[in-house]
């Protein structure tokens, strides 16, 4: 039995999240990226800048030990290029880059960051309504950062982690609404 558990662990795919966060999001109480901090999946956070690429993300992109993919809606990924650079399938770690900000901020970050245009896109086939209700101007079929992470966890077979994150998100939204009738 111990050997079976060891083999299962050896065969499991290692993943991590990288949040590329807009500076305005850092201070918002309604930001759901913070919910990823308690997951067992490694998390790195980099503050986006128009003039400086995030060094830690660039190191991952250049590393043969990482397969770095951008999770972003394809309809907004207008600058995405096929770089001709193929990444071997057997990298030990898949890094999922999530742009953490409002939809307007996320599109701006994407447009102004050519290094993101070189990354393969990860498509999420999700047909669920968002449970996130804390902001005005919420896009139809638009998911918050925590929901996107939960979808990735589910897609990777980490169902318990996905369920825990979604439970935290529902509780987060309920608590936020109970403290303040206004939305952020």
């Amino acid at each position: 039995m111990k050997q079976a558990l060891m083999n299962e662990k050896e065969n499991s795919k290692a993943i991590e999240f990288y949040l590329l966060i807009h500076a305005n999001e850092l201070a918002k109480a309604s930001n759901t990226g913070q919910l990823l901090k308690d997951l067992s999946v490694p998390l790195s956070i980099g503050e986006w800048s128009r003039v400086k690429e995030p060094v830690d993300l660039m190191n991952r992109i250049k590393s043969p030990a990482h397969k770095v993919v951008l999770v972003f809606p394809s309809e907004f990924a207008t600058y995405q290029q096929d770089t001709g650079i193929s990444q071997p399938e057997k990298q030990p770690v898949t890094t999922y880059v999530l742009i953490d900000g409002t939809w307007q901020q996320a599109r701006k970050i994407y447009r102004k960051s050519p290094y993101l245009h070189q990354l393969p896109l990860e498509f999420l086939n999700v047909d669920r309504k968002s449970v996130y209700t804390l902001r005005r101007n919420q896009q139809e079929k638009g998911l918050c950062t925590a929901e996107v992470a939960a979808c990735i966890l589910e897609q990777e077979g980490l169902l318990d982690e996905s369920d825990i994150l979604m439970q935290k998100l529902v509780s987060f939204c309920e608590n936020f609404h109970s403290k303040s009738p206004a939305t952020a």
Side-chain angles (χ1 to χ4, degrees):
M1 183 65 156
K2 186 176 181 181
Q3 184 63 37
L5 287 175
M6 286 176 57
N7 288 340
E8 182 178 315
K9 203 170 196 177
E10 288 171 10
N11 291 333
S12 68
K13 195 166 143 184
I15 69 165
E16 66 179 7
F17 290 113
Y18 186 95
L19 293 184
L20 186 57
I21 190 165
H22 193 280
N24 293 348
E25 285 299 299
L26 293 170
K28 287 186 179 175
S30 58
N31 177 273
T32 65
Q34 63 184 309
L35 299 176
L36 279 65
K37 291 178 181 176
D38 295 329
L39 295 174
S40 65
V41 174
L43 170 68
S44 296
I45 301 173
E47 185 177 338
W48 177 76
S49 166
R50 259 187 331 144
V51 296
K52 188 177 178 193
E53 296 174 344
V55 174
D56 52 344
L57 178 57
M58 299 310 293
N59 288 340
R60 282 176 174 81
I61 291 170
K62 294 172 186 171
S63 170
H66 290 265
K67 177 182 179 183
V68 182
V69 297
L70 174 64
V71 183
F72 196 69
S74 59
E75 62 266 23
F76 299 123
T78 55
Y79 301 106
Q80 213 62 24
Q81 302 170 14
D82 180 3
T83 62
I85 300 169
S86 62
Q87 295 181 320
E89 287 299 315
K90 295 194 177 192
Q91 282 123 332
V93 179
T94 299
T95 302
Y96 289 99
V97 178
L98 308 178
I99 299 175
D100 192 13
T102 65
W103 280 105
Q104 294 83 0
Q105 291 166 345
R107 285 194 298 266
K108 176 183 177 179
I109 289 171
Y110 173 77
R111 267 193 333 270
K112 305 262 183 195
S113 305
Y115 56 92
L116 295 177
H117 307 164
Q118 308 301 317
L119 299 177
L121 279 179
E122 180 70 27
F123 300 102
L124 297 178
N125 290 326
V126 179
D127 195 25
R128 68 170 96 163
K129 186 173 165 54
S130 177
V131 299
Y132 184 74
T133 57
L134 304 184
R135 295 201 181 149
R136 294 180 277 280
N137 302 328
Q138 189 70 6
Q139 297 232 346
E140 187 175 330
K141 293 190 179 182
L143 302 178
C144 69
T145 302
E147 289 170 315
V148 171
C151 289
I152 292 167
L153 291 167
E154 186 177 309
Q155 176 179 295
E156 291 287 346
L158 300 169
L159 303 180
D160 290 341
E161 288 281 325
S162 177
D163 289 343
I164 290 168
L165 184 55
M166 287 304 296
Q167 289 169 10
K168 283 183 175 189
L169 177 62
V170 168
S171 177
F172 177 80
C173 291
E174 288 170 355
N175 289 335
F176 192 91
H177 280 300
S178 70
K179 291 178 183 173
S180 169
T183 56

